[in-house]
Amino acid sequence: MLIMRYQFGQNAGVTFLVVIFSFIFSLVGAECTGRFAITPVTTLGNFAQLVFGGISKGAGMAPAVNQLNNGLTGMITLAASEQCSDMLGDLKTTHLIGASPRVQLYTQCFGALVSIFLSAGMYLVFVKAYPCINELTATTCSFPAPDVGAWRAVSVAVSSPSLPIPLSSGVTALCLGGLAIVQTIVKYRYFSPDKHKWFPNWNAVGIAMILGPLCTYPMAMDALWEYGRARLETVLACSVRDVWLLHRRRDDCG
């Protein structure tokens, strides 16, 4: 909060609000990581940009100030969700080897304290060696960083006088969000747990929308292959068991 106030000129209210949003989006990231081993941190950060970009625009901030505001808040949300997901993976590993979660928590705190200074120092070294990282006018760079283009596009879009997003996109997003809420209520109120597997997971649907076909098609093929293999093993096991029982009955009758 002190860094946001004295380094970037952000008030305490915005910082407190972004902490709340970071907590909420971290839960979404943890859910995605636990179920699909994919954490859409960039998308979660872009969501925060949209929210705080709208807040900044409503407060009458200049476009440059708005872009700084939504960029900072988006990065805080991204960092929180990514660290939450990484810690889940670490805790899973330590659980498998029988380590204490409390010791793991202390280790994470110590590592975070060291990484604050180490990451800042490494960034300064890279900027010194490759100035193109911070130059928007650079046409070539050893580090293309395609996500930076998405962040800049969202930052500029939400600070523009009119949001360049089609009305149909907003309506579609609201309808899908409402459908997810209704499904969740119906799923847990009117159906038993053994029927929950027949309801689609909307986190998976959202990840499929943002990843594109290069990632989702191989994942779908792998899932179908594993499902078919498991079903085939079950059928073969049942067939072998039935044959064995049939022969045993014949031997008993003989």
Side-chain angles (χ1 to χ4, degrees):
M1 187 174 291
L2 293 177
I3 295 176
M4 288 284 286
R5 174 65 181 88
Y6 293 104
Q7 181 70 28
F8 301 104
Q10 304 297 319
N11 61 61
V14 171
T15 306
F16 181 74
L17 189 61
V18 74
V19 170
I20 296 176
F21 273 87
S22 298
F23 175 76
I24 297 173
F25 287 145
S26 294
L27 297 179
V28 178
E31 170 75 10
C32 294
T33 302
R35 290 186 178 272
F36 318 112
I38 298 175
T39 310
V41 290
T42 300
T43 304
L44 295 176
N46 293 151
F47 287 163
Q49 281 187 282
L50 290 173
V51 173
F52 287 92
I55 294 175
S56 300
K57 184 185 295 186
M61 295 183 180
V65 179
N66 188 342
Q67 292 170 13
L68 175 63
N69 187 11
N70 68 64
L72 289 171
T73 53
M75 286 303 300
I76 292 175
T77 303
L78 179 148
S81 59
E82 186 171 13
Q83 291 301 318
C84 177
S85 303
D86 288 343
M87 185 173 290
L88 282 178
D90 297 339
L91 291 175
K92 178 181 179 180
T93 303
T94 55
H95 173 72
L96 292 175
I97 63 177
S100 169
R102 179 176 298 179
V103 175
Q104 174 69 14
L105 179 61
Y106 294 155
T107 306
Q108 290 281 348
C109 293
F110 178 77
L113 182 63
V114 175
S115 66
I116 293 174
F117 305 98
L118 183 61
S119 58
M122 292 298 296
Y123 178 76
L124 293 177
V125 170
F126 273 95
V127 169
K128 189 69 174 179
Y130 304 95
C132 60
I133 295 176
N134 286 340
E135 294 179 1
L136 295 177
T137 58
T139 57
T140 59
C141 188
S142 301
F143 302 94
D147 284 348
V148 175
W151 280 80
R152 183 171 183 268
V154 174
S155 182
V156 173
V158 297
S159 61
S160 300
S162 60
L163 190 64
I165 297 178
L167 178 62
S168 58
S169 298
V171 173
T172 302
L174 291 175
C175 291
L176 290 176
L179 180 60
I181 294 174
V182 172
Q183 178 192 285
T184 302
I185 296 174
V186 172
K187 174 181 176 181
Y188 288 98
R189 182 177 292 271
Y190 300 106
F191 289 87
S192 58
D194 60 313
K195 300 294 192 302
H196 289 177
K197 62 182 180 180
W198 300 109
F199 290 87
N201 188 301
W202 286 98
N203 278 334
V205 175
I207 289 177
M209 290 181 177
I210 64 175
L211 288 182
L214 294 180
C215 294
T216 52
Y217 286 168
M219 292 172 61
M221 294 299 295
D222 181 68
L224 291 174
W225 170 264
E226 288 297 323
Y227 176 77
R229 184 184 62 80
R231 292 290 297 176
L232 181 61
E233 289 181 355
T234 303
V235 171
L236 291 177
C238 293
S239 300
V240 171
R241 183 191 62 185
D242 293 340
V243 171
W244 179 78
L245 290 175
L246 180 60
H247 281 287
R248 184 174 180 180
R249 289 176 182 174
R250 288 179 178 177
D251 293 340
D252 292 340
C253 293

